[in-house]
Amino acid sequence: NSYLSYADFDLYKIRELLQQSRVPTEIILGSDDTILPQNWLSQLKTMKAHVTVIPNANHFFEGTSEFDLAEEIEAMLKNLSAHSS
């Protein structure tokens, strides 16, 4: 139930769910994402979510950005694992 697919992507719904979340939330965005609204990043930063921005990455993290994305996810998972021990 907590997974939001692209088929049901709704910025207002995501914002509402983030505000209701009782667990820490990690969000990764690309600095060159032109699909999301321009003010989306500033809106996310006002919520209970940790936002990481990968420089020069677009919405799909194509090219070498995919490696930066993979490294960020790996670091987040290691951090999660360290906190749950």
Side-chain angles (χ1 to χ4, degrees), residues 9-75:
F9 188 77
D10 179 336
L11 295 176
Y12 298 105
K13 182 177 181 180
I14 291 172
R15 184 179 9 202
E16 181 181 316
L17 290 172
L18 283 172
Q19 290 171 332
Q20 295 173 6
S21 178
R22 293 178 289 177
V23 297
T25 304
E26 299 278 348
I27 298 173
I28 303 174
L29 298 173
S31 67
D32 295 348
D33 188 332
T34 58
I35 293 177
L36 295 174
Q38 289 182 353
N39 64 345
W40 185 235
L41 177 59
S42 61
Q43 289 181 36
L44 288 175
K45 287 184 175 182
T46 65
M47 297 179 204
K48 298 186 305 180
H50 178 261
V51 180
T52 300
V53 178
I54 296 181
N56 305 313
N58 64 16
H59 188 74
F60 299 103
F61 298 91
E62 298 169 320
T64 57
S65 297
E66 68 183 275
F67 301 110
D68 296 330
L69 174 62
E71 288 175 6
E72 280 297 328
I73 292 172
E74 183 177 3

